[in-house]
Amino acid sequence: SKLRRGIAPGTGMLRNEHLKVLTEGPALTLIQRFAVEVITGSVPSHLRPILYGDPGIALPKNQGGVRPICVGNAIVKLALKHIHSVIPRKQLVGPAQWGYAVANGPQRCAALLQQALDEGKCIIKTDVTNAFNSVDRKKLAAMLFDIPSAKPVYKYFIDRYLQPTEVHVFDSHGHYIDNIKSNVGLCQG
């Protein structure tokens, strides 16, 4: 999706126009070098809270209550996007993933589901409540490290998730309130 001009998501406060410049020319070379630092686990430890710390956003739910979401740093996201461009998709997520880096993935998935129904097969739909915010990082790491093809992202995962993550809490007006440490869940967005 495209951001409107002047929008500055995340802790870096970089607007869409800034991010576009970072994907062209000499700036792209810097992003590519930073991507190597991220993927090899070479980001200096004193910079990790800044780069991997996330702003906590409380979105209202239709049924009441709030949905906590952490949005990652835009520079780190650009580096990860570069990593995704050089590591084959199937190597990262396998052939069963339809929602990531698959042209018309959801449509193709829907067609396969319809075909299964037409063949008289049973389909069970499940939904995980609060999936991102309830993931046990150590269990996920154990599963990830059992997948040899995911080796390129091991060090990033260790740097990013195997220690508490700083969540920067803001009020509804965008004013900083406090930092909290998160030991579970993954960054969204």
Side-chain angles (χ1 to χ4, degrees):
S1 66
K2 283 190 159 186
L3 292 173
R4 294 188 322 269
R5 291 182 62 78
I7 298 295
T11 53
M13 301 308 290
L14 295 172
R15 294 193 317 262
N16 188 34
E17 301 88 276
H18 298 136
L19 297 175
K20 185 175 181 187
V21 169
L22 291 174
T23 62
E24 302 168 344
L28 178 59
T29 302
L30 292 174
I31 292 295
Q32 291 168 339
R33 286 184 186 163
F34 178 62
V36 171
E37 299 289 312
V38 169
I39 202 72
T40 59
S42 302
V43 173
S45 60
H46 67 281
L47 292 178
R48 290 179 196 150
I50 297 165
L51 294 171
Y52 298 151
D54 302 313
I57 302 167
L59 298 176
K61 292 182 178 181
N62 291 340
Q63 305 83 8
V66 295
R67 179 181 316 281
I69 294 181
C70 291
V71 180
N73 182 292
I75 300 291
V76 174
K77 287 183 187 182
L78 283 175
L80 292 172
K81 185 174 182 177
H82 170 68
I83 291 164
H84 291 178
S85 73
V86 296
I87 298 174
R89 181 191 80 79
K90 287 184 179 180
Q91 186 175 341
L92 286 175
V93 296
Q97 171 60 265
W98 291 89
Y100 166 73
V102 176
N104 301 315
Q107 294 87 341
R108 291 171 60 193
C109 188
L112 286 172
L113 290 171
Q114 186 60 54
Q115 179 182 347
L117 285 172
D118 293 345
E119 293 171 359
K121 294 180 180 171
C122 177
I123 297 175
I124 299 173
K125 178 193 175 288
T126 61
D127 189 13
V128 179
T129 302
N130 207 10
F132 280 96
N133 298 322
S134 61
V135 171
D136 182 314
R137 294 175 181 178
K138 289 184 180 172
K139 286 182 182 176
L140 182 61
M143 290 188 310
L144 180 71
F145 299 156
D146 279 343
I147 304 170
S149 63
K151 190 173 183 174
V153 297
Y154 290 176
K155 289 182 179 180
Y156 165 73
F157 188 88
I158 290 167
D159 273 1
R160 182 73 169 93
Y161 292 116
L162 292 187
Q163 66 281 330
T165 304
E166 294 258 341
V167 177
H168 313 295
V169 183
F170 296 85
D171 67 16
S172 61
H173 302 291
H175 300 110
Y176 171 79
I177 298 174
D178 199 359
N179 282 348
I180 60 173
K181 298 277 187 182
S182 172
N183 293 306
V184 296
L186 301 174
C187 178
Q188 295 172 251

